[in-house]
Amino acid sequence: MPTYSYACTECDNKFDIVQSFSDDTLTVCPACSGKLRKLFNSVGIVFKGSGFYRTDSRGGSSSTVSEPAKKSESTSASSTSSTTSGSSTAAAS
């Protein structure tokens, strides 16, 4: 059952109460019989289990990439790094 927060508009009495969804909203302050208003707070969300974190999706993605694709990526990366190192040597001369 949810917990609702109320505040009195006349005496500033603030309190929390556990109510069912089907219960009526409180309207009378128990301290001074003044008018109550419902307070709305931010909702705390807790993600439990797998699939909610950035690292959870990375484990399965490596198995879907085929071996030839991995080899071609590493070959193109090494040729790019040798090209950039050669151009920096030429610029230094």
Side-chain angles (χ1 to χ4, degrees):
M1 290 203 311
T3 302
Y4 294 102
S5 298
Y6 289 93
C8 180
T9 57
E10 296 178 25
C11 69
D12 285 333
N13 179 25
K14 294 180 183 176
F15 61 95
D16 297 333
I17 188 166
V18 177
Q19 289 182 302
S20 173
F21 288 111
S22 60
D23 290 346
D24 291 332
T25 303
L26 299 180
T27 56
V28 179
C29 177
C32 73
S33 299
K35 188 176 178 182
L36 286 178
R37 64 183 177 96
K38 192 181 279 189
L39 301 175
F40 295 98
N41 299 321
S42 61
V43 178
I45 299 176
V46 177
F47 294 105
K48 293 183 178 181
S50 63
F52 294 107
Y53 298 98
R54 187 176 192 184
T55 56
D56 287 345
S57 62
R58 293 188 183 199
S61 64
S62 63
S63 63
T64 59
V65 177
S66 63
E67 287 300 316
K70 286 182 180 178
K71 289 179 182 176
S72 65
E73 288 175 2
S74 63
T75 313
S76 64
S78 63
S79 64
T80 306
S81 62
S82 64
T83 307
T84 55
S85 63
S87 62
S88 63
T89 310
S93 324

